[in-house]
Amino acid sequence: MGIQYKDWKSFSCFFSAEYCQRYLKTSYQKQKLDNPEQKGYENCYAFLYYLEHGQIYYEQAEKSPLILKPILLFYGLVHLIKACILSIDPSYPETTAVLAHGVSTRKRKKQNYLFFQDEVKFQKNGLFPFMSEKMFHMKPLEGEKVMMEELLQLIPELDDLFFFLERKRTFATLQQQGEQFVVPETVLNYFHMTESRFKEYFASKCEKGVEFESEGLTLPINEGVHLESTPLKFNLENSHWTIPLNKGIYLNFPELLIHYLLLYNLSMIARYETEWWSELTKMMPNHDYPFIASFLDSTMKKGPFLVYQYLMG
């Protein structure tokens, strides 16, 4: 099931130009690109340095005070994502248009601003739409907006916090029995669906290869099933697969994109909304603080984990 990541030590193999060259060549061959060997040779150091710089940002973030963490983590994740893109697109970056962030946020925050209700807007050009299309084959989302609350509800490690502070569950844990997952029946209540309707709905949100058993809510896991291409998300803190309980339009949004959007907005706030950001971190006036602090703790480990899964997928 591809969950063998421990920590940064798992990336050790990539800190060899020889290995990176071979890795890129294989990746380019799989995509039937021209001159895979030459392109692997040309890109191996850029690829290695993206990963190395990303790691350094994450390690500095771990030692830094909370007010600096979002900036360091955002740029750390950006470097790791660039390595992912280079592993599938040997000519990245072809134009300067792909170097912008690809999302925007309201610069000046209104009075009584709440992070939960803040939004980011998707742009036509930049890293976000580029990685969405290249890495996850998603259609352009230009002009659409997403609220921070919606994104936070899609982070499985925050489920307990939502329960304690908002009295609601955002994920249900799947029970694993051998080569099968059992989806708890309570999930049907959250989705307001019958068993057969839910199975149909879930299958429509997955790429091919995911089908329930004819009886009950049992999901076989075989080699052909890529769980990352389903709405299921892995909770890294308790090492369980989970299913989101909110059937919004972002149900099967790739988790790497969710972390990118949250970190982008938090890094903008940390840079440009000094007064609000300082008050939040010192006064802790509402639920924003525990969710932001918990997310930053979680993404410290989860960002590299998701990138490792992608590179090894």
Side-chain angles (χ1 to χ4, degrees), residues 113-221:
Y113 165 80
L114 287 171
F115 179 73
F116 255 47
Q117 276 142 40
D118 199 6
E119 294 175 325
V120 288
K121 187 178 181 181
F122 306 132
Q123 302 295 329
K124 183 181 180 181
N125 294 317
L127 184 59
F128 182 78
F130 192 74
M131 70 165 159
S132 304
E133 186 202 342
K134 282 276 177 190
M135 292 170 64
F136 302 109
H137 316 294
M138 287 169 62
K139 296 188 184 86
L141 296 160
E142 186 195 349
E144 286 184 41
K145 292 177 181 175
V146 62
M147 262 169 68
M148 297 301 100
E149 183 176 14
E150 286 179 272
L151 295 173
L152 290 166
Q153 285 180 15
L154 291 167
I155 304 283
E157 292 80 7
L158 297 181
D159 172 53
D160 282 343
L161 196 59
F162 270 104
F163 184 68
F164 292 132
L165 295 180
E166 308 263 316
R167 307 311 297 165
K168 66 177 178 188
R169 285 279 174 208
T170 49
F171 282 83
T173 299
L174 305 182
Q175 296 306 314
Q176 195 174 343
Q177 295 176 354
E179 294 298 295
Q180 295 179 324
F181 280 143
V182 181
V183 178
E185 277 190 22
T186 48
V187 166
L188 301 178
N189 302 333
Y190 285 95
F191 282 85
H192 307 294
M193 291 177 186
T194 61
E195 188 181 293
S196 58
R197 174 71 192 100
F198 174 77
K199 286 178 177 180
E200 219 174 88
Y201 173 78
F202 186 84
S204 75
K205 297 290 176 189
C206 301
E207 286 178 26
K208 59 185 182 300
V210 178
E211 250 176 68
F212 282 95
E213 298 278 357
S214 51
E215 293 297 311
L217 290 171
T218 305
L219 199 57
I221 320 155

Side-chain angles (χ1 to χ4, degrees), residues 3 10 13 24-26 45-46 77 85 94 121 139 179 195 202 217 222 227 253 273 287-288 290 300:
I3 305 298
S10 300
C13 58
L24 292 173
K25 175 189 160 185
T26 307
Y45 277 106
L77 187 63
I85 294 171
E94 254 183 312
K121 187 178 181 181
K139 296 188 184 86
E179 294 298 295
E195 188 181 293
F202 186 84
L217 290 171
N222 53 48
L227 294 171
F253 213 56
E273 296 297 326
H287 289 181
D288 279 352
M300 188 92 65

Side-chain angles (χ1 to χ4, degrees), residues 7 23 42 69 86 103 107 118 150 213 223 252 263 268 275 288 307:
D7 51 31
Y23 171 86
E42 287 166 2
K69 277 188 202 296
L86 196 59
V103 280
K107 283 289 191 292
D118 199 6
E150 286 179 272
E213 298 278 357
E223 282 303 305
N252 55 347
L263 283 174
M268 294 299 271
E275 191 182 351
D288 279 352
V307 166

Side-chain angles (χ1 to χ4, degrees), residues 284-313:
M284 309 177 193
N286 54 34
H287 289 181
D288 279 352
Y289 177 82
F291 277 103
I292 289 171
S294 298
F295 167 70
L296 291 172
D297 274 350
S298 164
T299 194
M300 188 92 65
K301 299 178 187 74
K302 194 73 176 279
F305 165 83
L306 293 167
V307 166
Y308 183 79
Q309 290 299 309
Y310 183 86
L311 291 174
M312 291 311 205

